[in-house]
Amino acid sequence: MLIKQLGELKQSGLITEEEFKSKKRILLDKLLL
């Protein structure tokens, strides 16, 4: 759900591709713990 929201932020230009990738990595790491 949060990753979907991140994708929407990236598409609307509110965050950069780099920010998207780093936030996605952090979220995925938290989910896998």
Side-chain angles (χ1 to χ4, degrees):
M1 184 168 140
L2 289 173
I3 294 173
K4 181 177 180 238
Q5 289 177 327
L6 268 181
E8 290 169 0
L9 287 173
K10 183 176 72 90
Q11 284 196 331
S12 42
L14 294 172
I15 61 172
T16 65
E17 181 71 25
E18 291 76 25
E19 288 173 314
F20 172 75
K21 286 179 182 174
S22 68
K23 299 285 188 205
K24 185 177 75 170
R25 170 63 47 215
I26 291 166
L27 286 172
L28 289 174
D29 287 346
K30 285 183 181 178
L31 288 175
L32 296 174
L33 288 177

